[in-house]
Amino acid sequence: MKMAHLPQSLYSTTARPEFLPYPVNSGHGSRKLTWNRFPVTVRCASTESLTSLTQNGAAEIELKYVVSQHGWGVRRLNKEDEDEIRRVSLVQAEAFHIPLALFNDFFFLFFQAEVLSGLLYKLKNSPPDRYACLVAEQTNETETFSSSNVVGVVDVTAQTENSVLRHFPGVDEYLYVSGLAVSKAQRRKKMASTLLKACDVLCYLWGFKLLALRAYEDDAAARNLYSNAGYNVVAADPPWTSSWIGRKRRVLMTKRIS
């Protein structure tokens, strides 16, 4: 696949979705995670400057956010910041955990640990231009990033799943959008739309032509969000899958990037 001629630091870093054990800490009294590959510098492109970046060379331009709109800025997760990683796992766990009548707090902690473990694995092992964890925060005048400011997150992963590609002859891979989560207090403030816009930008920068995601068929709010962002339904799970206990039918939605 032909890539846009952008510096390596603009590329993100795919990994399998299974949750695996935590990476070992660095020891010697330090809590810093032992990342051995792909140190990250936040150098991202805003929507307003994409054309100039690709035409004039992005190596000399360092920008804070991938996208900045509606009062939100979206940037890449700083994988050297353990507190920020834990904050991201909390935002996703709160969004996707299903409350239980008994021992809910215990099961929530277990679920968050699984989310954190999966995130750590992907950050450590994903190759360049195949995976990105994007985080959203309120834009302000300061240049200092704080984990407490992160209130939204989305994952973007390069995939080659045949169940998607069979609908698009000639396309050999695509970017899969997943884990879109927004803190409860910040919902209905266009943050999710801003995160989806950042996925569009990343798709353009990496040279992909197709974005894909899945939503529950009966989740009208999510489907409206994705439709408004330019996604269209192209397929659905077989009808009999909804009869499985604990399984809801999903639809596949895709978006072309020109």
Side-chain angles (χ1 to χ4, degrees):
M1 174 171 289
K2 184 178 180 182
M3 297 295 299
H5 295 289
L6 299 173
Q8 190 72 15
S9 58
L10 276 175
Y11 301 159
S12 177
T13 66
T14 203
R16 56 187 179 180
E18 291 86 0
F19 295 126
L20 296 181
Y22 296 87
V24 179
N25 285 354
S26 57
H28 306 293
S30 171
R31 297 178 67 245
K32 182 180 178 60
L33 297 174
T34 56
W35 305 119
N36 297 318
R37 300 170 60 197
F38 312 128
V40 172
T41 300
V42 179
R43 295 185 181 183
C44 300
S46 68
T47 50
E48 294 78 11
S49 61
L50 280 176
T51 302
S52 63
L53 280 174
T54 54
Q55 292 179 348
N56 302 324
E60 302 302 323
I61 302 175
E62 181 170 341
L63 300 173
K64 182 175 180 180
Y65 293 120
V66 179
V67 164
S68 180
Q69 63 180 23
H70 306 305
W72 305 110
V74 179
R75 58 177 173 84
R76 233 176 110 179
L77 169 69
N78 178 10
K79 70 176 186 179
E80 301 295 335
D81 187 337
E82 182 178 353
D83 290 336
E84 181 162 288
I85 293 171
R86 292 185 182 279
R87 172 63 183 169
V88 166
S89 71
L90 176 62
V91 172
Q92 288 186 316
E94 289 178 339
F96 297 114
H97 174 66
I98 300 175
L100 301 174
L102 296 175
F103 308 111
N104 183 65
D105 291 344
F106 170 79
F107 285 107
F108 174 79
L109 292 175
F110 182 79
F111 180 67
Q112 185 186 356
E114 284 192 319
V115 173
L116 177 59
S117 178
L119 178 59
L120 290 174
Y121 177 84
K122 289 183 287 186
L123 290 172
K124 182 178 180 181
N125 296 284
S126 301
D129 77 342
R130 306 295 293 177
Y131 168 76
C133 180
L134 301 176
V135 298
E137 61 192 2
Q138 287 185 311
T139 54
N140 50 52
E141 298 300 321
T142 179
E143 293 294 319
T144 302
F145 298 144
S146 170
S147 61
S148 62
N149 295 334
V150 172
V151 288
V153 59
V154 66
D155 290 314
V156 186
T157 308
Q159 293 188 359
T160 58
E161 185 179 324
N162 184 60
S163 62
V164 176
L165 294 177
R166 64 187 176 89
H167 300 287
F168 302 94
V171 178
D172 55 2
E173 55 185 354
Y174 59 94
L175 287 187
Y176 188 73
V177 178
S178 62
L180 177 61
V182 174
S183 295
K184 188 174 182 179
Q186 303 298 335
R187 294 172 186 171
R188 301 186 181 278
K189 298 180 181 180
K190 297 186 180 298
M191 188 195 303
S193 299
T194 303
L195 285 163
L196 291 173
K197 175 60 69 175
C199 297
D200 294 351
V201 173
L202 208 60
C203 187
Y204 177 87
L205 290 176
W206 287 358
F208 288 81
K209 301 297 183 182
L210 182 69
L211 287 159
L213 55 80
R214 287 183 171 88
Y216 288 122
E217 186 178 42
D218 61 357
D219 191 341
R223 291 182 58 177
N224 286 337
L225 169 67
Y226 301 139
S227 295
N228 291 336
Y231 289 82
N232 297 299
V233 175
V234 297
D237 290 339
W240 48 264
T241 59
S242 61
S243 64
W244 293 3
I245 298 176
R247 176 80 180 267
K248 295 195 295 184
R249 194 171 184 225
R250 303 171 303 166
V251 294
L252 171 66
M253 305 182 72
T254 62
K255 179 179 181 178
R256 291 273 196 175
I257 299 294
S258 58

